Amino acid sequence: MCCCTMDAAEFRRRGREMVDFVADYLENIEQRPVYPDLEPGYLRSLIPTEAPLEPENYEDIIKDVERVIMPGVTHWHSPYFFAYFPAASSYPAMLADMLCGAIGCIGFSWAASPACTELETVMLDWLGKMLQLPEHFIAGTHGHGGGVIQGTASEATLMSLLAARCKAIRRVHASIPENSEADILSKLVAYTSEQAHSSVERAALIGGVMMRKVPTDNSYAVRGDMLKKIVEEDKAAGLIPFYFCATLGTTPSCAFDHITELGPLCNEENMWMHIDAAYAGSAFICPEFRPLLNGVEFADSFNFNPHKWLLVNFDCSAMWVKKRADIIGAFKMEPLYLKHENQESGLVTDYRHWQIPLGRRFRSLKMWFVFRLYGLKGLQAHIRKQVDLAKEFESLVRADKRFEICAEVIMGLVCFRLKGSNELNQNLLKRITESREIHLVPCQLSGRFVLRFAICARSTESRHIQQAWRHITQLTFELLQEPNH
């Protein structure tokens, strides 16, 4: 009978080889084109149509990584990758992920692996304290709130909306018992910024509730009076406002909703306020950026992604709730095969009640390794360095009168464009993408096609910013030389 021949001895050897492969890949990543040059469907013809019947050689698989996989990789950790937002990466997190895979526990309950649950609770407390979150978000040993690792900010938003929906239905039904759950559900309305991530609207679709988009001011942020006006209109129409998702660091331009105005309004109207700070939240560990989080004390839940900017590899999305009973009460199921004798202890939480899936990985190991090997000061230095690089790029753009800055540069994102038509900027981005030397993506601000330049890779230095700008200006020169421009 055939089987895999990799025993512990070979695993040790191959493991060392893989560490070398990964280190070589990351050390030399800037020599690769940041964006692939191929057509959809490229991979199918490069590998067999069926899985092998007999075991294959490890060496052949590794050769195929370079032959089959690497040509189709967008290199997110290249210092010339400036698209989307960062995907965090560090060697300590990679080592922790290796250990997570080896332990291989499925930590749906405390009993399923006590360390998996308890380390997560403590790591979310550590991180909450780094952010100076209000005490009610810290689990400690007697707190009513606490934190959980979700897979993505999209999951955190969905969980908060579903918990808010459940809480609102119960509240309304308790005061007007003759109203059916279906009737109440049909009147519930949620709100978010017109600049919010598409995942917020998607959460409302999954949750089966209406969602209204709130207009923003000239800095692309929602203010209290804007939300108040729409809420009052909806209440007059017989609707039941129950949820608002505020954004700190919007995807298009890194704008910040005014939660010090929005929070008291939400509390007044009995609306759950969730804060999505997926990208920007990491920066709040720096005292100079922490004021942007003022108003979090009014929130029912708060979320950001350490896997974006805090050097913890994907997936690791940190979510805190003011009252964990609100989220557990909405999703708690207790089949006999998942019960255990310690589940009613005040010191224990079963994270399966906090999330959509049942199973969960030992993701807090990554946080533990990163926090200990970098320390708070090391993490702050990483954030500050990338903000400084964004400011450097901003100054280069401002010095060239052909370009304009389209939104205030607060963190590691610069929104800019060539002065002129949307078509002109679309053509410039097309040339940038096709060159495969740097990678950017666009956004739309006030009806204008805008280029986003996000500092992403941990290895990005000033020389990469300077080279990227030289490349952009060269392509701009060539574009403007064409007769139709």
Tab-separated table of all heavy atoms in Angstrom, residues 427-470:
chain	number	residue	atom	x	y	z
A	427	ASN	N	-6.143	56.032	-18.065
A	427	ASN	CA	-5.063	55.642	-18.984
A	427	ASN	C	-3.721	55.552	-18.263
A	427	ASN	O	-2.903	54.669	-18.552
A	427	ASN	CB	-4.973	56.629	-20.149
A	427	ASN	CG	-6.115	56.477	-21.128
A	427	ASN	OD1	-6.734	55.406	-21.203
A	427	ASN	ND2	-6.429	57.527	-21.873
A	428	LEU	N	-3.501	56.485	-17.324
A	428	LEU	CA	-2.256	56.432	-16.557
A	428	LEU	C	-2.199	55.156	-15.718
A	428	LEU	O	-1.172	54.457	-15.706
A	428	LEU	CB	-2.137	57.661	-15.653
A	428	LEU	CG	-0.924	57.674	-14.700
A	428	LEU	CD1	0.387	57.546	-15.479
A	428	LEU	CD2	-0.928	58.921	-13.824
A	429	LEU	N	-3.296	54.827	-15.036
A	429	LEU	CA	-3.305	53.621	-14.223
A	429	LEU	C	-3.129	52.371	-15.083
A	429	LEU	O	-2.444	51.418	-14.681
A	429	LEU	CB	-4.601	53.530	-13.415
A	429	LEU	CG	-4.695	52.311	-12.492
A	429	LEU	CD1	-3.581	52.316	-11.439
A	429	LEU	CD2	-6.055	52.234	-11.807
A	430	LYS	N	-3.715	52.381	-16.276
A	430	LYS	CA	-3.565	51.237	-17.186
A	430	LYS	C	-2.099	51.032	-17.539
A	430	LYS	O	-1.586	49.903	-17.537
A	430	LYS	CB	-4.392	51.478	-18.448
A	430	LYS	CG	-4.459	50.291	-19.405
A	430	LYS	CD	-5.498	50.572	-20.504
A	430	LYS	CE	-5.677	49.349	-21.405
A	430	LYS	NZ	-4.548	49.134	-22.306
A	431	ARG	N	-1.400	52.089	-17.797
A	431	ARG	CA	0.036	51.997	-18.121
A	431	ARG	C	0.837	51.510	-16.904
A	431	ARG	O	1.778	50.715	-17.045
A	431	ARG	CB	0.564	53.357	-18.572
A	431	ARG	CG	0.091	53.738	-19.972
A	431	ARG	CD	0.445	55.177	-20.311
A	431	ARG	NE	-0.015	55.497	-21.661
A	431	ARG	CZ	0.785	55.732	-22.699
A	431	ARG	NH1	2.104	55.694	-22.538
A	431	ARG	NH2	0.291	56.022	-23.879
A	432	ILE	N	0.471	51.993	-15.726
A	432	ILE	CA	1.163	51.564	-14.505
A	432	ILE	C	0.977	50.061	-14.302
A	432	ILE	O	1.933	49.325	-14.031
A	432	ILE	CB	0.619	52.350	-13.283
A	432	ILE	CG1	1.074	53.813	-13.344
A	432	ILE	CG2	1.095	51.705	-11.980
A	432	ILE	CD1	0.410	54.710	-12.312
A	433	THR	N	-0.251	49.587	-14.455
A	433	THR	CA	-0.546	48.172	-14.250
A	433	THR	C	0.181	47.306	-15.267
A	433	THR	O	0.769	46.272	-14.922
A	433	THR	CB	-2.067	47.933	-14.329
A	433	THR	OG1	-2.726	48.747	-13.350
A	433	THR	CG2	-2.411	46.468	-14.076
A	434	GLU	N	0.135	47.727	-16.521
A	434	GLU	CA	0.758	46.938	-17.590
A	434	GLU	C	2.273	46.909	-17.479
A	434	GLU	O	2.917	45.968	-17.950
A	434	GLU	CB	0.328	47.487	-18.953
A	434	GLU	CG	-1.142	47.191	-19.269
A	434	GLU	CD	-1.607	47.845	-20.568
A	434	GLU	OE1	-0.844	48.683	-21.122
A	434	GLU	OE2	-2.731	47.531	-21.014
A	435	SER	N	2.860	47.916	-16.846
A	435	SER	CA	4.325	47.937	-16.681
A	435	SER	C	4.788	46.861	-15.701
A	435	SER	O	5.912	46.383	-15.781
A	435	SER	CB	4.768	49.309	-16.169
A	435	SER	OG	4.455	49.466	-14.791
A	436	ARG	N	3.933	46.517	-14.751
A	436	ARG	CA	4.205	45.498	-13.736
A	436	ARG	C	5.416	45.838	-12.851
A	436	ARG	O	5.972	44.971	-12.196
A	436	ARG	CB	4.370	44.103	-14.357
A	436	ARG	CG	3.208	43.711	-15.241
A	436	ARG	CD	3.156	42.240	-15.574
A	436	ARG	NE	4.407	41.601	-15.848
A	436	ARG	CZ	5.098	41.703	-16.980
A	436	ARG	NH1	4.638	42.466	-17.971
A	436	ARG	NH2	6.225	41.052	-17.145
A	437	GLU	N	5.779	47.112	-12.822
A	437	GLU	CA	6.881	47.532	-11.942
A	437	GLU	C	6.382	47.959	-10.572
A	437	GLU	O	7.055	47.754	-9.564
A	437	GLU	CB	7.681	48.663	-12.606
A	437	GLU	CG	8.483	48.183	-13.805
A	437	GLU	CD	9.500	49.214	-14.258
A	437	GLU	OE1	9.932	50.035	-13.419
A	437	GLU	OE2	9.862	49.197	-15.444
A	438	ILE	N	5.215	48.600	-10.545
A	438	ILE	CA	4.553	48.928	-9.288
A	438	ILE	C	3.075	48.573	-9.464
A	438	ILE	O	2.588	48.409	-10.586
A	438	ILE	CB	4.706	50.418	-8.893
A	438	ILE	CG1	4.044	51.334	-9.938
A	438	ILE	CG2	6.170	50.774	-8.697
A	438	ILE	CD1	4.034	52.805	-9.530
A	439	HIS	N	2.371	48.442	-8.336
A	439	HIS	CA	0.960	48.073	-8.427
A	439	HIS	C	0.117	49.006	-7.571
A	439	HIS	O	0.383	49.179	-6.376
A	439	HIS	CB	0.765	46.624	-7.985
A	439	HIS	CG	-0.603	46.090	-8.283
A	439	HIS	ND1	-1.260	46.320	-9.467
A	439	HIS	CD2	-1.456	45.326	-7.538
A	439	HIS	CE1	-2.445	45.726	-9.443
A	439	HIS	NE2	-2.586	45.118	-8.284
A	440	LEU	N	-0.882	49.625	-8.201
A	440	LEU	CA	-1.819	50.523	-7.534
A	440	LEU	C	-3.239	50.127	-7.926
A	440	LEU	O	-3.436	49.461	-8.945
A	440	LEU	CB	-1.609	51.989	-7.970
A	440	LEU	CG	-0.491	52.829	-7.369
A	440	LEU	CD1	0.885	52.304	-7.739
A	440	LEU	CD2	-0.631	54.275	-7.845
A	441	VAL	N	-4.215	50.549	-7.136
A	441	VAL	CA	-5.621	50.418	-7.520
A	441	VAL	C	-6.295	51.781	-7.341
A	441	VAL	O	-5.790	52.634	-6.611
A	441	VAL	CB	-6.366	49.339	-6.703
A	441	VAL	CG1	-5.807	47.952	-6.993
A	441	VAL	CG2	-6.347	49.656	-5.218
A	442	PRO	N	-7.445	51.991	-8.002
A	442	PRO	CA	-8.101	53.296	-7.938
A	442	PRO	C	-9.235	53.352	-6.919
A	442	PRO	O	-9.622	52.342	-6.322
A	442	PRO	CB	-8.667	53.431	-9.351
A	442	PRO	CG	-9.083	52.023	-9.698
A	442	PRO	CD	-8.076	51.128	-9.015
A	443	CYS	N	-9.781	54.539	-6.753
A	443	CYS	CA	-11.041	54.723	-6.041
A	443	CYS	C	-11.764	55.892	-6.699
A	443	CYS	O	-11.219	56.555	-7.595
A	443	CYS	CB	-10.816	55.000	-4.551
A	443	CYS	SG	-10.048	56.603	-4.197
A	444	GLN	N	-12.977	56.132	-6.266
A	444	GLN	CA	-13.732	57.280	-6.779
A	444	GLN	C	-14.051	58.213	-5.624
A	444	GLN	O	-14.600	57.792	-4.608
A	444	GLN	CB	-15.023	56.819	-7.452
A	444	GLN	CG	-15.723	57.941	-8.220
A	444	GLN	CD	-16.906	57.429	-9.038
A	444	GLN	OE1	-17.818	56.837	-8.479
A	444	GLN	NE2	-16.862	57.630	-10.337
A	445	LEU	N	-13.687	59.472	-5.769
A	445	LEU	CA	-13.963	60.484	-4.765
A	445	LEU	C	-14.623	61.683	-5.443
A	445	LEU	O	-14.054	62.251	-6.382
A	445	LEU	CB	-12.673	60.926	-4.064
A	445	LEU	CG	-11.939	59.877	-3.218
A	445	LEU	CD1	-10.603	60.429	-2.727
A	445	LEU	CD2	-12.799	59.423	-2.040
A	446	SER	N	-15.812	62.026	-4.993
A	446	SER	CA	-16.573	63.148	-5.564
A	446	SER	C	-16.692	63.035	-7.081
A	446	SER	O	-16.546	64.024	-7.813
A	446	SER	CB	-15.912	64.488	-5.193
A	446	SER	OG	-15.778	64.610	-3.797
A	447	GLY	N	-16.912	61.805	-7.549
A	447	GLY	CA	-17.099	61.579	-8.982
A	447	GLY	C	-15.819	61.559	-9.789
A	447	GLY	O	-15.854	61.411	-11.012
A	448	ARG	N	-14.692	61.678	-9.122
A	448	ARG	CA	-13.405	61.704	-9.829
A	448	ARG	C	-12.676	60.375	-9.681
A	448	ARG	O	-12.688	59.759	-8.619
A	448	ARG	CB	-12.526	62.840	-9.302
A	448	ARG	CG	-13.121	64.230	-9.516
A	448	ARG	CD	-12.155	65.314	-9.082
A	448	ARG	NE	-11.790	65.189	-7.680
A	448	ARG	CZ	-10.808	65.884	-7.094
A	448	ARG	NH1	-10.085	66.741	-7.821
A	448	ARG	NH2	-10.545	65.740	-5.824
A	449	PHE	N	-12.026	59.950	-10.754
A	449	PHE	CA	-11.204	58.731	-10.762
A	449	PHE	C	-9.865	59.084	-10.120
A	449	PHE	O	-9.129	59.949	-10.603
A	449	PHE	CB	-11.006	58.255	-12.203
A	449	PHE	CG	-10.304	56.929	-12.328
A	449	PHE	CD1	-11.030	55.747	-12.350
A	449	PHE	CD2	-8.922	56.855	-12.436
A	449	PHE	CE1	-10.396	54.520	-12.481
A	449	PHE	CE2	-8.275	55.637	-12.569
A	449	PHE	CZ	-9.019	54.467	-12.595
A	450	VAL	N	-9.558	58.416	-9.012
A	450	VAL	CA	-8.399	58.768	-8.185
A	450	VAL	C	-7.498	57.553	-8.016
A	450	VAL	O	-7.974	56.418	-7.880
A	450	VAL	CB	-8.885	59.278	-6.806
A	450	VAL	CG1	-7.723	59.467	-5.842
A	450	VAL	CG2	-9.664	60.582	-6.963
A	451	LEU	N	-6.200	57.777	-8.008
A	451	LEU	CA	-5.225	56.710	-7.774
A	451	LEU	C	-4.897	56.643	-6.285
A	451	LEU	O	-4.695	57.692	-5.649
A	451	LEU	CB	-3.947	56.945	-8.584
A	451	LEU	CG	-3.971	56.568	-10.073
A	451	LEU	CD1	-4.977	57.410	-10.842
A	451	LEU	CD2	-2.589	56.725	-10.687
A	452	ARG	N	-4.865	55.431	-5.741
A	452	ARG	CA	-4.529	55.216	-4.333
A	452	ARG	C	-3.103	54.665	-4.242
A	452	ARG	O	-2.770	53.708	-4.923
A	452	ARG	CB	-5.475	54.208	-3.679
A	452	ARG	CG	-6.915	54.634	-3.570
A	452	ARG	CD	-7.774	53.471	-3.108
A	452	ARG	NE	-7.625	53.133	-1.697
A	452	ARG	CZ	-6.851	52.187	-1.198
A	452	ARG	NH1	-6.114	51.437	-2.017
A	452	ARG	NH2	-6.797	51.941	0.092
A	453	PHE	N	-2.294	55.269	-3.391
A	453	PHE	CA	-0.918	54.817	-3.173
A	453	PHE	C	-0.789	54.476	-1.694
A	453	PHE	O	-0.671	55.362	-0.851
A	453	PHE	CB	0.061	55.920	-3.580
A	453	PHE	CG	1.512	55.511	-3.603
A	453	PHE	CD1	2.117	55.106	-4.788
A	453	PHE	CD2	2.285	55.541	-2.449
A	453	PHE	CE1	3.460	54.740	-4.822
A	453	PHE	CE2	3.627	55.182	-2.466
A	453	PHE	CZ	4.211	54.781	-3.664
A	454	ALA	N	-0.865	53.175	-1.368
A	454	ALA	CA	-0.820	52.726	0.025
A	454	ALA	C	0.536	52.104	0.324
A	454	ALA	O	1.030	51.279	-0.448
A	454	ALA	CB	-1.926	51.711	0.293
A	455	ILE	N	1.137	52.504	1.429
A	455	ILE	CA	2.389	51.880	1.857
A	455	ILE	C	2.032	50.527	2.459
A	455	ILE	O	1.315	50.450	3.462
A	455	ILE	CB	3.124	52.742	2.905
A	455	ILE	CG1	3.238	54.202	2.430
A	455	ILE	CG2	4.493	52.151	3.211
A	455	ILE	CD1	3.982	54.391	1.133
A	456	CYS	N	2.525	49.466	1.871
A	456	CYS	CA	2.052	48.127	2.243
A	456	CYS	C	3.128	47.216	2.830
A	456	CYS	O	2.977	46.718	3.940
A	456	CYS	CB	1.410	47.453	1.025
A	456	CYS	SG	-0.161	48.211	0.524
A	457	ALA	N	4.185	46.967	2.098
A	457	ALA	CA	5.143	45.935	2.516
A	457	ALA	C	5.992	46.388	3.706
A	457	ALA	O	6.390	47.550	3.795
A	457	ALA	CB	6.049	45.557	1.352
A	458	ARG	N	6.280	45.459	4.583
A	458	ARG	CA	7.148	45.732	5.733
A	458	ARG	C	8.526	46.193	5.278
A	458	ARG	O	9.200	46.972	5.972
A	458	ARG	CB	7.245	44.463	6.587
A	458	ARG	CG	8.178	44.510	7.764
A	458	ARG	CD	8.075	43.252	8.617
A	458	ARG	NE	8.160	42.028	7.818
A	458	ARG	CZ	9.296	41.446	7.453
A	458	ARG	NH1	10.462	41.987	7.792
A	458	ARG	NH2	9.289	40.322	6.759
A	459	SER	N	8.947	45.740	4.105
A	459	SER	CA	10.309	46.040	3.615
A	459	SER	C	10.396	47.329	2.808
A	459	SER	O	11.474	47.673	2.314
A	459	SER	CB	10.796	44.872	2.750
A	459	SER	OG	9.904	44.659	1.659
A	460	THR	N	9.300	48.060	2.654
A	460	THR	CA	9.325	49.292	1.857
A	460	THR	C	10.216	50.343	2.515
A	460	THR	O	10.113	50.602	3.719
A	460	THR	CB	7.900	49.854	1.680
A	460	THR	OG1	7.069	48.836	1.126
A	460	THR	CG2	7.903	51.054	0.753
A	461	GLU	N	11.089	50.933	1.705
A	461	GLU	CA	11.994	51.985	2.173
A	461	GLU	C	11.836	53.223	1.298
A	461	GLU	O	11.152	53.191	0.272
A	461	GLU	CB	13.456	51.501	2.124
A	461	GLU	CG	13.743	50.238	2.920
A	461	GLU	CD	13.779	50.484	4.423
A	461	GLU	OE1	13.765	51.665	4.831
A	461	GLU	OE2	13.808	49.496	5.176
A	462	SER	N	12.514	54.289	1.668
A	462	SER	CA	12.446	55.545	0.919
A	462	SER	C	12.843	55.350	-0.542
A	462	SER	O	12.232	55.930	-1.450
A	462	SER	CB	13.357	56.593	1.568
A	462	SER	OG	13.397	57.761	0.789
A	463	ARG	N	13.834	54.491	-0.796
A	463	ARG	CA	14.290	54.308	-2.181
A	463	ARG	C	13.182	53.717	-3.059
A	463	ARG	O	13.115	54.005	-4.256
A	463	ARG	CB	15.548	53.451	-2.237
A	463	ARG	CG	15.385	52.014	-1.776
A	463	ARG	CD	16.716	51.266	-1.781
A	463	ARG	NE	16.591	49.911	-1.254
A	463	ARG	CZ	16.238	48.855	-1.991
A	463	ARG	NH1	15.992	49.004	-3.300
A	463	ARG	NH2	16.147	47.655	-1.441
A	464	HIS	N	12.312	52.905	-2.472
A	464	HIS	CA	11.212	52.333	-3.245
A	464	HIS	C	10.162	53.399	-3.567
A	464	HIS	O	9.571	53.394	-4.647
A	464	HIS	CB	10.567	51.180	-2.474
A	464	HIS	CG	11.530	50.081	-2.139
A	464	HIS	ND1	11.886	49.775	-0.842
A	464	HIS	CD2	12.224	49.228	-2.940
A	464	HIS	CE1	12.759	48.776	-0.857
A	464	HIS	NE2	12.984	48.430	-2.106
A	465	ILE	N	9.956	54.320	-2.634
A	465	ILE	CA	9.017	55.425	-2.865
A	465	ILE	C	9.555	56.307	-3.982
A	465	ILE	O	8.823	56.703	-4.905
A	465	ILE	CB	8.832	56.250	-1.576
A	465	ILE	CG1	8.347	55.368	-0.423
A	465	ILE	CG2	7.879	57.420	-1.813
A	465	ILE	CD1	7.052	54.642	-0.667
A	466	GLN	N	10.838	56.629	-3.925
A	466	GLN	CA	11.450	57.487	-4.938
A	466	GLN	C	11.402	56.822	-6.315
A	466	GLN	O	11.100	57.470	-7.323
A	466	GLN	CB	12.906	57.802	-4.547
A	466	GLN	CG	13.047	58.594	-3.249
A	466	GLN	CD	12.581	60.027	-3.362
A	466	GLN	OE1	12.582	60.613	-4.443
A	466	GLN	NE2	12.155	60.606	-2.255
A	467	GLN	N	11.698	55.518	-6.343
A	467	GLN	CA	11.664	54.790	-7.611
A	467	GLN	C	10.247	54.711	-8.169
A	467	GLN	O	10.030	54.877	-9.379
A	467	GLN	CB	12.234	53.377	-7.424
A	467	GLN	CG	12.150	52.475	-8.652
A	467	GLN	CD	12.837	53.052	-9.882
A	467	GLN	OE1	13.837	53.778	-9.762
A	467	GLN	NE2	12.305	52.764	-11.073
A	468	ALA	N	9.276	54.479	-7.307
A	468	ALA	CA	7.880	54.428	-7.753
A	468	ALA	C	7.459	55.762	-8.352
A	468	ALA	O	6.787	55.802	-9.398
A	468	ALA	CB	6.975	54.068	-6.576
A	469	TRP	N	7.859	56.870	-7.713
A	469	TRP	CA	7.478	58.190	-8.233
A	469	TRP	C	8.172	58.479	-9.565
A	469	TRP	O	7.559	59.030	-10.486
A	469	TRP	CB	7.810	59.269	-7.205
A	469	TRP	CG	7.430	60.650	-7.686
A	469	TRP	CD1	8.261	61.700	-7.925
A	469	TRP	CD2	6.105	61.100	-8.005
A	469	TRP	NE1	7.552	62.778	-8.362
A	469	TRP	CE2	6.221	62.452	-8.428
A	469	TRP	CE3	4.854	60.508	-7.988
A	469	TRP	CZ2	5.117	63.212	-8.823
A	469	TRP	CZ3	3.746	61.254	-8.383
A	469	TRP	CH2	3.884	62.585	-8.795
A	470	ARG	N	9.435	58.075	-9.694
A	470	ARG	CA	10.128	58.256	-10.977
A	470	ARG	C	9.402	57.486	-12.074
A	470	ARG	O	9.237	57.984	-13.202
A	470	ARG	CB	11.590	57.776	-10.879
A	470	ARG	CG	12.512	58.741	-10.170
A	470	ARG	CD	13.983	58.387	-10.387
A	470	ARG	NE	14.340	57.112	-9.776
A	470	ARG	CZ	14.767	56.997	-8.517
A	470	ARG	NH1	14.873	58.058	-7.749
A	470	ARG	NH2	15.083	55.804	-8.038
